[in-house]
């Protein structure tokens, strides 16, 4: 038999302003460090995108058709609260960002009418003007790289009866931003699980700005030394 350790992972916590929409984990958030290695004695460091390379965020899309009930979305084994079938984009965004496995997302409805709903109404239902032809697009702002697909399902056995009536998720754009330790712009301390960033780099918000993730994804070029070309060369 092959035996090994399944290393425990730290909990996520809210930031110092108790903003439940932003979560962090590991020593930078004053929780115990995530561990790795065959005997779980090596600390992992925060991961993120190399700010000086090109890449795009992942976008997944959800299509559903019904005129009643609610649905839930699952990401990395965490499920949202029930989302009503006719919820606006802001309601969908709030439900997703409550998950401890997600930081920030953009939620866009392709139907831009004022009364657009998350799901499309079934054909043959009266007063469907403005309620059809919508796709929910979810852009992952703080989860980087080619992230796992979200799963969508009915929130109860009574909801989405028949789903002819359907709900499904597909990948609209694959994420290509790196998700590497210390953003490839720092050195990981395997004892403490902390990044020591190279000159000019600091902790980020996973969107290129200064933040509290404890990685090296914020670049301030004003701290870099000027490169002066020798005269006559």
């Amino acid at each position: 038999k092959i035996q090994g350790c399944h290393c425990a992972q730290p909990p996520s916590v809210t930031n110092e302003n108790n903003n439940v929409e932003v979560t962090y984990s590991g020593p930078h958030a004053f929780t115990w460090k995530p561990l790795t290695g065959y005997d779980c004695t090596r600390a992992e460091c925060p991961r993120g995108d190399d700010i000086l390379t090109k890449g795009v965020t992942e976008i997944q899309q959800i299509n559903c058709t019904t005129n009643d009930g609610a649905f839930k979305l699952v990401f990395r084994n965490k499920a949202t609260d029930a989302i009503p079938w006719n919820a606006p984009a802001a309601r969908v965004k709030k439900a997703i960002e409550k998950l401890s496995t997600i930081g920030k997302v953009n939620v866009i409805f392709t139907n831009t009418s004022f009364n657009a709903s998350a799901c499309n109404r079934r054909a043959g239902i009266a007063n469907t003007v403005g309620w059809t032809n919508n796709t929910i697009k979810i852009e992952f702002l703080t989860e980087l790289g080619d992230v796992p697909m979200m799963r969508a399902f009915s929130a109860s056995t009574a909801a989405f009866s028949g789903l002819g009536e359907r709900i499904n998720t597909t990948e609209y754009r694959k994420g290509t931003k790196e998700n590497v330790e210390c953003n490839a712009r720092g050195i990981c301390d395997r004892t403490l699980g902390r990044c020591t960033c190279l000159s000019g780099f600091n902790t980020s918000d996973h969107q290129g700005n200064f933040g509290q993730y404890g990685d090296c994804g914020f670049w301030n070029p004003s701290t870099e030394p000027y490169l002066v070309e020798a005269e006559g060369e």
Side-chain angles (χ1 to χ4, degrees):
K1 289 184 177 180
I2 298 177
Q3 296 181 333
C5 298
H6 180 74
C7 302
Q9 297 297 305
S12 295
V13 297
T14 58
N15 67 1
E16 60 184 7
N17 297 318
N18 200 34
N19 181 352
V20 297
E21 295 184 350
V22 185
T23 59
Y24 308 92
S25 65
H28 201 73
F30 305 105
T31 65
W32 48 276
K33 59 197 174 189
L35 299 172
T36 187
Y38 74 94
D39 58 354
C40 298
T41 58
R42 289 164 55 84
E44 291 185 354
C45 282
R47 294 173 173 268
D49 177 51
D50 183 348
I51 192 67
L52 299 185
T53 61
K54 293 182 179 180
V56 296
T57 52
E58 172 129 347
I59 299 177
Q60 296 179 12
Q61 57 186 19
I62 300 170
N63 286 97
C64 51
T65 302
T66 187
N67 67 333
D68 59 11
F71 62 95
K72 291 185 178 183
L73 300 175
V74 178
F75 184 72
R76 289 175 172 157
N77 298 320
K78 298 294 183 180
T80 66
D81 295 333
I83 303 171
W85 73 274
N86 58 350
R91 176 78 176 267
V92 178
K93 174 182 170 70
K94 184 177 181 179
I96 294 173
E97 290 185 343
K98 284 181 66 177
L99 295 177
S100 62
T101 51
I102 290 182
K104 288 287 189 181
V105 296
N106 275 336
V107 174
I108 300 171
F109 284 4
T110 57
N111 184 339
T112 58
S113 62
F114 76 94
N115 61 344
S117 62
C119 298
N120 300 312
R121 282 192 174 184
R122 294 196 309 267
I125 301 298
N127 299 320
T128 59
V129 177
W131 294 80
T132 57
N133 300 321
N134 182 55
T135 296
I136 307 169
K137 289 188 175 181
I138 301 170
E139 179 184 11
F140 294 81
L141 301 178
T142 52
E143 281 54 58
L144 307 175
D146 184 15
V147 303
M149 288 296 302
M150 300 188 91
R151 292 183 291 114
F153 61 93
S154 169
S156 69
T157 55
F160 283 7
S161 50
L163 267 188
E165 322 254 57
R166 59 183 177 79
I167 184 168
N168 61 61
T169 59
T170 55
E171 185 177 68
Y172 177 78
R173 182 177 74 187
K174 185 184 297 294
T176 60
K177 288 193 173 186
E178 296 99 340
N179 188 30
V180 295
E181 283 187 314
C182 304
N183 308 65
R185 298 292 170 176
I187 300 172
C188 178
D189 184 326
R190 293 294 177 191
T191 301
L192 299 175
R194 293 177 181 269
C195 293
T196 299
C197 300
L198 302 178
S199 176
F201 295 89
N202 211 324
T203 176
S204 79
D205 63 352
H206 273 195
Q207 299 178 68
N209 307 304
F210 183 80
Q212 302 181 49
Y213 273 91
D215 59 358
C216 299
F218 172 66
W219 180 48
N220 184 359
S222 65
T223 64
E224 292 288 85
Y226 287 101
L227 299 178
V228 181
E229 184 175 337
E231 190 172 337
E233 294 184 356

